[in-house]
Amino acid sequence: MSTAVIAVPKRRRFRLGAIAPYLQAMPLGLVLAVFLVIPILTIVIVSFWDYDSVQIYPDFLFTNYIDLLTSQVTWKTYLNTIKYAVLVWLFTLVIGFTVAYFVAFHVKSATAQMALFLICTIPFLTSNIIRMISWIPFLGRNGILNQALQGIGVTDQPLEFLLFSDFSVILTFVYLYAQFMVVPIFNSMMRIDRNLIEAARDGGASGFQTLVNVIIPLTKSGILIGTIFVVTLVMGDFITVRLMSGGQSASVGLMIANEISLLQYPAAAANAVVLLIIVLLMVAAMLRVVDIRKEL
Amino acid sequence: AQNIKDVTLRQFGTGVSNLNAIADKVKSDLGFTLAMTALDSDAITQRAVTQPKSFDIADIEYWICKKVFPTGGLQPMDVKKIKYFDKIVPIFVTGKLTPESVIAQGTAPHTVSFVESPEAKAFAKQPTQWMTLIPTIYNADTLGIRPDLVGRPISNWKDLLDPAFKGKASILNIPSIGIMDAAMVCESAGLWKYADKGNMSKEEIDKTMGVLTEAKKAGQFRAFWKSFDESVNLMASGEVIIQSMWSPAVAAVRSKGIPCVYQPLKEGYRAWGGGLGIAKHLSGLELDCAYEYINWYLSGWCGAYLNRQGYYSAVLDTAKEFMSPEEWAFWMEGKPAAADILSPEGKVMEKAGAVRDGGAFVERMGAVACWNSVMDEDRYMIKKWNEFIAA
Amino acid sequence: MRETRRGLAFWALASFFGLFVLFLYGPTITIMILSFQGEDGGLTFPMNGFSLHWFGRLFQQQAVGDFGGSLSRSLLLGLIVTILTVTISLSAGLAFRRRFFGSTPLFYLAIASLIVPSILVSLGIGLMFNVLGIEPAWNTSALGAHLTWTLPFGLLIMFAVFNRFNKAFEEAARDQGASPWQTLRHVTVPILLPSLIGVGLFGFTLSYDEFARSLMTTGSYNTLPLEIYGMTTSVTTPVLYALGTVTTLLSIVVITAALYGVVYVQRRRAGKGSDAGRGV
Amino acid sequence: MAVRDDSSVELIGVTKSYGGTIAVDRIDLKIPPGTYCCLLGPSGCGKTSTLRMIAGHEEISDGYLRIGDRQVEDEPPVKRGTALMFQSYALFPHLDCVDNVAFSLKMRGVAKEERRAKAREMLAVVHMDRYADRLPAQLSGGQQQRVALARALITRPSVLLLDEPLSALDPFLRDRMREELKRLQLELGITFIHVTHSQGEAMALADLVVIMKDGRIEQAAPPRAVFNAPATAFVAQFIGGHNVIKVEDGSQVAVRSDRISLIPAAEGMVVDGTCVSAIVRSMEYHGAAVHLRLDTALTDEFSVVVDEAAFFASPLEIGDRVTARWSADHAHPLTA
Amino acid sequence: MAVRDDSSVELIGVTKSYGGTIAVDRIDLKIPPGTYCCLLGPSGCGKTSTLRMIAGHEEISDGYLRIGDRQVEDEPPVKRGTALMFQSYALFPHLDCVDNVAFSLKMRGVAKEERRAKAREMLAVVHMDRYADRLPAQLSGGQQQRVALARALITRPSVLLLDEPLSALDPFLRDRMREELKRLQLELGITFIHVTHSQGEAMALADLVVIMKDGRIEQAAPPRAVFNAPATAFVAQFIGGHNVIKVEDGSQVAVRSDRISLIPAAEGMVVDGTCVSAIVRSMEYHGAAVHLRLDTALTDEFSVVVDEAAFFASPLEIGDRVTARWSADHAHPLTA
Ligand SMILES: Nc1ncnc2c1ncn2[C@@H]1O[C@H](COP(=O)(O)OP(=O)(O)OP(=O)(O)O)[C@@H](O)[C@H]1O
Ligand SMILES: Nc1ncnc2c1ncn2[C@@H]1O[C@H](COP(=O)(O)OP(=O)(O)OP(=O)(O)O)[C@@H](O)[C@H]1O
Ligand SMILES: [Mg+2]
Ligand SMILES: [Mg+2]
């Protein structure tokens, strides 16, 4: 063997591999920088500006925040929005979990699972707004539901709470966002080793005990991701609340939209910053429980 | 050189006046293309302010103009280039329909119609050579009712808050307009008198919103509406039987065969008006086309087209030439229809013998109590409105 | 022989699922019924006759607004968003398989993009374009706004996909003399194709439906959701519902065809026989 | 510990069909109490299906199942007195070792302290008490297996069912765990039913080897009986170490590979009752022995096992001609 | 076929470190051309890392690598003349067998018809031409392996690298594929480097067995040398079949388990140079032989292999006392 080679100093070549991740992540980084970071910074900056009924003026004031945070309406509205978020979360969770559970554990063939999934997806290809407003004739005073209820004699008066109420707002939210809960939970469930279920049964667990002690703990990450989706969607909404409450209920998004509509951008921006911080805190708290990067 | 056929002017506004029929007619009469984009009133304000280059012609309301024009997105128009300027209904110039009229409260169009110079952003107190908006359509709003369901004659704004209509009333959810309705109600109920309903003091805002809030808590309202369509659907489906309403919306309900009345009230009307403005960035051939378009707008066909839908047009004389005498008599003079009245699409809107609610043009526009407005205290007002919605 | 029985739980859950589907389709069905309104009918019950009138009207000019233009813009925008979402998420997914400087902030930025309320993004982008003096348009600013919504979803899906993707395939390709680009083109992308199609479909749906993020970013010409909303500022007719019915039916047809295609390909492949799982 | 009487298992005409395909075909099997029974057979022969029917995780399509003196084919898993150890162990990933083992006690409502104490005891039995607080992901394969075993045993089953418990382990560990399983079974005095497709494993562990093929039982007997008297050609081939040779009357005999001796080649390729001409095709060194494969006119595969020392005393090369011979005593007649 | 000269492999001071941990520690190894080399060792000892460094899928942290007469540690995989067969085969799931095999030709721009024809030829070499149009998912494990082999061989590598190629197969098939690998290697005359942690596999296949521990090479020698003269106690224990015994002077010797005989117990637990008193702890039946484990004072594990016939002539029971003895000739001294 030639020992000469040992004298050759070790050289390390430049490798494209070293910068590849940066090149690959660049498009994402650029899009987010341009269309997310800069706009958000703009909003943050504007939130400290002054304004009158026609113009906004560069400045550095806290009045927008002070006005916002000292007003009772703000708190009330935030509470109401959080109430929506919590209720919608609760319902979508129950529905999403049950539906995902059925498809994941009670439907045996992969083709049937896919078919059922697609069935759930098709309605989402009709425009959201059309689907939303079509609840109105369904729930209205003379809508299908009331007529059906009166027809079969459940009530003799039309039920008024069905439309333009918290009921209809939450119903519509659940309707629009349930799928955002179903999908991640289903994904988590499909990753549960089927043997675990049998192992639980073998250990004497009833169906319910298996659910509580095995399936729910192992579906936590999916629940969490779904929760993030649903909560953030509800917290930022303004159109559903307005249309379905008949304009009678408040939400933070609506409050911001009202401010924007009268060009009170600094006030809207301050409100938006507060909303953003609250949502970020909520999500950060949730992310502490589960590292979604690992759980995916 | 540029060919006029290649010119496209982009106009945006609400669906009320952004009608495709007008664009078609422009194409055939003037040769250039008018691209119409319909938006809701919030989006219009946003777009006019934040994206002034995204349009060439803005079709906005006067109270919105009060906010938008000072931001600099529009250029004032030279009235010398407006052929029918002299014939424009004086409401938009002097504020008075007839020399004797009292100027109504609120953001009356003439107060935001003129600026001193092409560069000025502040509104002029008197008519000048520079006009901000050329009026297109306007109307006087009042309460719409379902005569079959209200069960009694309605004659005052205060009837809106009559507990008999609990859960069946509605108002507009556009703060600047909604509060005007509320003010009409308050005054009608004799609660107090406003110095200027269109420019309330904080105290007045508090009181007004207080009344609304109380009614809301008592369950008076079924819903608040924001778009034309919503108001029609609320009424047509029977969710609401009394609400402030636009005249064509009443017509739309009636066209479904559902009885609906545009009810004139003792206290008068709350009026609104819209106009066309030209974007700042427009110049050269395109600017010429814009003027041409505006002149065409006032030249009659368009006026007639809008009048037939229950709105009023800015230049009445020219519109009259494009309407049959029966139509003119029905729509403008408040006379019983001599023949079936047809919509622009040719559908029967009113049977022969019908009389227009509210009567003649002068009766209606002469009885305007206030205009939709932007107040000095609008920042406070928005806060209170949000409070009201959250209540 | 004993029969295999399905338990009570199965039927309870199946009924629940059935109700959920009914819930999802309730409005769709309402839309369908109402799209057959008579000529004088409105957007609400009661039905006022029964006709195909509104389907005919769908293909004519509307009094206000323009289905054709806005629909084609929405479809085109959806398509662009789909393509960009797929390529950018794939590329980022590849990047995130390795730790690199700034990967964690970028990841959280993507998550933030998901949770920042839509109107803020919309307002911010609108303002930004205004300040920079660039004209917003559906294919620039709105495209960017939509991407801030679709990319995080795409990225999350790609994470899930790459967590299950066996790196050995790529190493095998390298071993076989494929360049990194050839590896991507001939191995990684084909293997991930179903997931990429999934990301694309998802991106398309999100973009096609996006309202709030388009609101202040679309510029002169509306996308479909904005157009529909704008149309409600005037008299709207059951043409809206006819549109809903037609798009729903169309998507059912497309999806069924796709499903049938997949099953067909599977059958044909299975036709060649299989020794999988056999000890030969 | 004494043999537990209630640990006998009896299958009577047990059948499993999945839709059209019959996975297990009317098998009868009687396993005496306290037996270590191995189910052996090629892939897809129905071993897992049989085991899962006994466990109660798969419905029995037809037939009867008795455990102890109770007929149990309609009972749920817990009531059968069986416990199943899964091939992949199926430990609950979100629970630490103690809670994994304590799972069934928790299901029965045993109080927390009590069940954790018991679980720790059981972990001690499998020498895993040191790792009590770890999550499964923090354990090696062999450690996981012990936890799985502890979890199965804590219910005090009379029958422990194991589906290829050793296949995921490396060979080193496999031998160790094998010994431990056998020790445990003797200690507890219960029946183990162990599925494997390794003949070596079955031989080493079982009191009773059950060899299956296509959903039927080919032979069920103690390992020595199977090795020295395979019932069928399939059994002889499957357990290995045998050559199946056709004899004149058309029937077949099995001759153990290590009972064959090689002598220098006679002329030509002679075939005769107890010897055959052959060519060396391949050789494998196995430490103590050398395995040769020969080409003969008799069978496709003719294998001979030669002691290493003897082989290297006069080594052969691939391609060498030899004669293989055996004594007639070592030729065991087969039934099919 | 003749041995290919360019198929020698030489590792000089090769080191692999992952961040802080050193997986492979300055190993030197010279593999002559045309060698079947097995890398053997317990889990985590650095076998895969070594193989992947040779393949070029892992950077060499330090040291040199020569293949044939070229220094290649900075070359990409294709330029090294190596081909890697992955443990899970890594067949491209979207391509049928032909296209899988033709993949490297396609990458080189060979025209479609030509490359498919060549791929079919290569499939014929591994007897898979019948399945040319199937997708990997439609193949059994053994069939997949052959396709993977064909794909690796079509690049005409001088060195074929295999990472546990047989571990995913069932034991039956494993033996068959083992024979086939050996046949192919002889036919092609190239070097195979085969990672395994089964000592049986290494023994059976290798010309050169390389036993690794903690990133270092313990012994590299032909299998017989390893079995008869293990260099260290670790090697003796790892390859099995040996008892490592401490002798008086403190050094250790290895004695093959099959070189130990059992005689009836002498009094007490006597320990002496060539015999020891013992108690039978466990017994395993292995067909031709019986393996016993004894408790002695000498070592933890004392194993004895007895011929089956001899054992059953005078069978022992667990707990019986015996004396184990061996000849001094069979005690092989160990270095560590
Ligand atoms: N759920 C099922 N549906 C349909 N067929 C099945 C099912 N489970 C098993 N089978 C079939 O039943 C037969 C027996 O399967 P089983 O799993 O019992 O075999 P096995 O002996 O355990 O095989 P292996 O050694 O591969 O685990 C096989 O042909 C298999 O394909
Ligand atoms: N990518 C990596 N990053 C960090 N450490 C690694 C990596 N790959 C391997 N190691 C470590 O290097 C050592 C050697 O690993 P290697 O995979 O080479 O072992 P092996 O002998 O192939 O083991 P096995 O038999 O389990 O496959 C191990 O301790 C392992 O944990
Ligand atoms: Mg099995
Ligand atoms: Mg390895």
Side-chain angles (χ1 to χ4, degrees), chain A residues 199 202-204, chain D residues 89-108 110 112 114-129 131-134 136 139 143-156:
Chain A
D202 213 57
Chain D
Y89 313 137
L91 293 177
F92 301 120
H94 57 297
L95 301 179
D96 64 19
C97 293
V98 190
D99 283 332
N100 256 291
V101 176
F103 186 84
S104 63
L105 299 180
K106 183 176 178 189
M107 294 305 105
R108 268 193 258 144
V110 177
K112 183 157 182 170
E114 189 186 341
R115 66 173 190 254
R116 288 181 66 94
K118 284 203 173 157
R120 273 172 201 281
E121 277 169 35
M122 189 49 81
L123 280 170
V125 171
V126 295
H127 308 302
M128 281 295 294
D129 36 345
Y131 302 100
D133 299 330
R134 291 222 192 148
L139 300 176
Q143 292 167 339
Q144 285 186 27
Q145 196 191 33
R146 288 177 207 207
V147 177
L149 204 54
R151 189 179 65 180
L153 292 175
I154 204 167
T155 57
R156 305 255 160 239

Side-chain angles (χ1 to χ4, degrees), chain E residues 18 23 42-49 164 197:
Chain E
Y18 296 104
S43 191
C45 70
K47 303 181 296 293
T48 298
S49 300
E164 308 201 19
H197 46 219

Side-chain angles (χ1 to χ4, degrees), chain B residues 167-181:
Chain B
K168 292 174 179 171
S170 172
I171 58 168
L172 249 94
N173 186 17
I174 299 172
S176 306
I177 306 178
I179 195 164
M180 301 311 291
D181 284 344

Side-chain angles (χ1 to χ4, degrees), chain A residues 51 53-54 73 140-142 160 163-164 242-243 246-250 255 258 260-265, chain B residues 42 46 49-50 66-67 71 167 216 221-224 226 230 234 237-239 378-379 382 386-387 389-390:
Chain A
Y51 66 99
S53 41
V54 290
V73 199
R141 188 175 279 143
N142 301 314
E160 306 254 328
L163 186 59
F164 301 134
R242 192 179 73 65
L243 281 177
Q248 299 208 77
S249 294
M255 187 157 77
N258 273 339
I260 291 175
S261 78
L262 280 179
L263 302 182
Q264 301 177 348
Y265 290 139
Chain B
D42 283 349
Q46 301 323 307
V49 174
T50 60
K66 186 173 176 182
K67 308 215 71 173
T71 64
K216 184 187 173 196
F221 302 111
R222 177 66 172 150
F224 304 134
K226 197 161 192 170
E230 277 179 283
L234 284 175
S237 63
E239 298 291 343
D378 68 341
R379 201 161 154 175
I382 285 290
N386 281 333
E387 207 169 301
I389 296 297

Side-chain angles (χ1 to χ4, degrees), chain B residues 173-236:
Chain B
N173 186 17
I174 299 172
S176 306
I177 306 178
I179 195 164
M180 301 311 291
D181 284 344
M184 296 296 286
V185 170
C186 290
E187 246 181 18
S188 151
L191 295 176
W192 52 78
K193 233 174 147 46
Y194 297 89
D196 181 354
K197 283 190 282 297
N199 202 2
M200 299 182 194
S201 65
K202 281 189 179 176
E203 195 197 354
E204 284 170 331
I205 293 174
D206 283 347
K207 281 196 208 158
T208 314
M209 294 313 296
V211 172
L212 274 189
T213 307
E214 224 172 274
K216 184 187 173 196
K217 283 187 174 156
Q220 180 70 10
F221 302 111
R222 177 66 172 150
F224 304 134
W225 60 268
K226 197 161 192 170
S227 71
F228 183 99
D229 214 31
E230 277 179 283
S231 74
V232 173
N233 291 333
L234 284 175
M235 212 63 170

Side-chain angles (χ1 to χ4, degrees), chain A residues 141-142 157-158 160 164 248, chain B residues 143-146 148-151 154 159-171 215-216 218-225 231 234-245:
Chain A
R141 188 175 279 143
N142 301 314
Q157 285 290 312
E160 306 254 328
F164 301 134
Q248 299 208 77
Chain B
L143 294 180
I145 56 168
R146 283 281 298 267
D148 53 332
L149 299 175
V150 289
I154 302 296
D159 291 332
L160 186 66
L161 294 190
D162 183 343
F165 309 134
K166 186 171 161 222
K168 292 174 179 171
S170 172
I171 58 168
K216 184 187 173 196
Q220 180 70 10
F221 302 111
R222 177 66 172 150
F224 304 134
W225 60 268
S231 74
L234 284 175
M235 212 63 170
S237 63
E239 298 291 343
V240 165
I241 60 174
I242 181 166
Q243 65 176 354
S244 70
M245 226 175 157

Side-chain angles (χ1 to χ4, degrees), chain C residues 1, chain D residues 11-17 22-29 53 62-63 214-217:
Chain C
M1 286 257 178
Chain D
L11 284 74
I12 305 155
V14 166
T15 296
K16 178 75 211 177
S17 56
I22 291 180
V24 177
D25 192 8
R26 282 166 291 142
I27 62 173
D28 297 304
L29 178 64
M53 283 192 285
D62 202 6
D214 295 341
R216 317 215 60 170
I217 292 177

